Amino acid sequence: MKKDIFIDIKNAKTVTILGLSVLGDNELKNELEQNFFLHINNGKKKCSIIGESDNQLFQYSLVTDKAQENRISFEELKIRRDYFFKEIDKVDKGNNSSMYKIFSLQIPFFAIKADNQIWFLPSIDFNINSYQKIDSNNKLYQLIDSYIDYILNSSLGNKYLSSPNAELLEMFDQNKVPRGIIPRNSFYNTDLYQYVIWGLVFNREGKLLIHKRSANAKDNQSMWDKSIGGHIDFNIERSTHEAAVRELIEELYTKEKKEQSGHAFSMLSEDIEKVYFLGDWRPDDCGVDYLNHIKLIEKNKTKGEENWVFYKNPKTITHNTPRLLPKKAGERWLRVIVDSFIFITNTTINDSYLNKFENSKYLLVEPNKLKTWIEKGLDDYGRKFKITPDLKFIMTSEFRDLIDNVSFTIKYSDIRK
């Protein structure tokens, strides 16, 4: 049976492989090399390679765990799949083959289509010799063929697919229960939620930092936006305050350095340890004295070398955030679960400092003035003032009270100005 499969693969001009963890077995390397990989180099073979997602491989490892003698670990399954992709990458470079490599959120069965020949294997069986060749008159043939066509050609079928290097995010349902990991683009215009952070940056005058999105951004082009924002990267962090610091440094240090044509200054350090997390923002019983602890933190610091500090808004919100597309292409929307954070800069950040930046567009603005600009659609100089839907939501919802509270607490506090 194994020999017949590889003969069909070798002779076919069009090959679609659905599921790699069986074919990636170490014992099949020679057959794959002789009957598949070598024949891609002639530029005449069209290939579609659809691998399992990490989620599905993990589920497979649980299934095989039922019998100790047939156990296949999660790590081995990943190595099998990734080996296949790496070998494909080697032979695909510099030739004219048509190659389509993706991950699927869920593969219901293993299948190989070589021209019009279809081989089928239930997804709980990991034996190459268990593949069955399906007659074209068989109802199962039509089912498999239509599913492959659906994945490869349907925009709906492609929604939950990703390239091997695509960004993956954790998915939550309406009740904020984690339900899996899917490609980033899968969240647009769905009822699925992703976890994000918003950062509201204030300087020592109580002004809010906003930034202007670039003219070639993917969405919300040339609009003024909140200080920072981004999603949780489940590969490197499991708390939102860790994500908040990473996004802060990415937005106000890493990107800024790249865009400033090698200028020797930046808004803050890339050192995460110099941004102090001080817990939830709860000034209710303290008033302006709430920030006195900042004086203790920086009492031995030279002016201008103080640490940044930040707090978490205790309330997590859910929000439907529109993304306005360029060239009048309409909008997409995202459902997000938001943890928001309040950052207070050191004493160097003021209007004159921001004027040094030639490429990055930042403004420090009093919250009341910002609200006026939003209502008029014009700034103090009569220029059009367009804002993102997120910034509009922040300035017209319960966030407005939080912003005023933070701004005036800073302004009337006794911390270093």
Side-chain angles (χ1 to χ4, degrees), residues 192-194 196 198 317-323 333-338 389-394 397 399:
L192 309 175
Y193 284 84
Q194 61 175 280
V196 302
W198 289 353
I317 68 160
T318 56
H319 178 53
N320 182 5
T321 171
R323 295 288 192 267
W333 45 268
L334 288 172
R335 292 187 184 276
V336 292
I337 302 169
V338 184
D390 281 354
L391 185 55
K392 181 178 181 180
F393 172 76
I394 288 170
S397 67
F399 270 98

Side-chain angles (χ1 to χ4, degrees), residues 150-161:
Y150 171 75
I151 286 185
L152 297 180
N153 301 314
S154 166
S155 59
L156 180 61
N158 274 283
K159 188 174 183 67
Y160 299 108
L161 304 181

Side-chain angles (χ1 to χ4, degrees), residues 124 141 222 230 244 246:
I124 59 173
Y141 181 101
S222 301
R246 175 180 54 76

Side-chain angles (χ1 to χ4, degrees), residues 64-300:
T64 66
D65 201 42
K66 71 182 186 304
Q68 291 184 357
E69 64 273 13
N70 296 320
R71 182 175 295 163
I72 307 176
S73 72
F74 175 46
E75 290 301 322
E76 180 180 355
L77 289 173
K78 284 198 299 182
I79 288 172
R80 287 185 179 193
R81 179 201 62 194
D82 294 345
Y83 152 74
F84 205 99
F85 275 128
K86 288 175 182 176
E87 291 301 312
I88 287 293
D89 283 338
K90 289 179 184 177
V91 297
D92 191 37
K93 291 178 180 177
N95 64 63
N96 297 318
S97 65
S98 177
M99 190 66 64
Y100 188 58
K101 297 163 291 189
I102 51 177
F103 287 147
S104 177
L105 182 63
Q106 192 74 23
I107 294 176
F109 46 76
F110 296 115
I112 299 170
K113 184 178 181 183
D115 287 341
N116 293 321
Q117 307 297 321
I118 288 182
W119 292 82
F120 166 77
L121 177 69
S123 61
I124 59 173
D125 193 337
F126 288 87
N127 187 343
I128 184 70
N129 291 307
S130 296
Y131 268 95
Q132 304 172 32
K133 194 169 188 176
I134 308 299
D135 186 88
S136 60
N137 294 321
N138 191 315
K139 187 176 180 180
L140 183 58
Y141 181 101
Q142 304 300 327
L143 178 65
I144 297 170
D145 195 36
S146 62
Y147 182 78
I148 291 173
D149 182 66
Y150 171 75
I151 286 185
L152 297 180
N153 301 314
S154 166
S155 59
L156 180 61
N158 274 283
K159 188 174 183 67
Y160 299 108
L161 304 181
S162 66
S163 64
N165 297 317
E167 189 172 21
L168 304 175
L169 302 179
E170 197 164 11
M171 169 184 65
F172 294 81
D173 66 13
Q174 302 271 4
N175 298 312
K176 303 178 185 176
V177 176
R179 295 296 185 185
I181 299 166
I182 64 175
R184 183 173 186 172
N185 286 338
S186 302
F187 287 93
Y188 289 111
N189 297 350
T190 71
D191 292 331
L192 309 175
Y193 284 84
Q194 61 175 280
Y195 223 121
V196 302
I197 66 93
W198 289 353
L200 305 173
V201 177
F202 294 82
N203 76 344
R204 297 296 178 100
E205 298 171 320
K207 292 181 177 180
L208 176 66
L209 181 75
I210 59 176
H211 83 279
K212 192 172 186 179
R213 292 176 62 82
S214 67
N216 60 356
K218 291 181 180 178
D219 49 49
N220 297 340
Q221 293 179 345
S222 301
M223 296 181 179
W224 288 97
D225 200 5
K226 58 191 176 294
S227 309
I228 63 168
H231 62 267
I232 312 301
D233 188 335
F234 67 91
N235 283 313
I236 59 176
E237 60 219 357
R238 297 309 296 176
S239 69
T240 53
H241 82 266
E242 291 175 322
V245 176
R246 175 180 54 76
E247 288 290 346
L248 179 79
I249 290 175
E250 285 182 6
E251 293 294 327
L252 303 187
Y253 180 85
T254 309
K255 289 183 181 179
E256 197 176 288
K257 280 286 191 182
K258 291 178 181 178
E259 292 176 357
Q260 292 305 316
S261 304
H263 289 182
F265 57 85
S266 181
M267 203 174 297
L268 79 163
S269 166
E270 64 179 329
D271 185 357
I272 291 177
E273 300 300 322
K274 293 185 178 180
V275 185
Y276 287 178
F277 178 51
L278 301 180
D280 286 352
W281 176 261
R282 297 185 184 276
D284 300 348
D285 298 328
C286 300
V288 296
D289 293 333
Y290 181 67
L291 297 180
N292 284 348
H293 51 265
I294 294 179
K295 295 194 297 184
L296 297 175
I297 293 172
E298 58 193 32
K299 65 179 182 178
N300 296 321

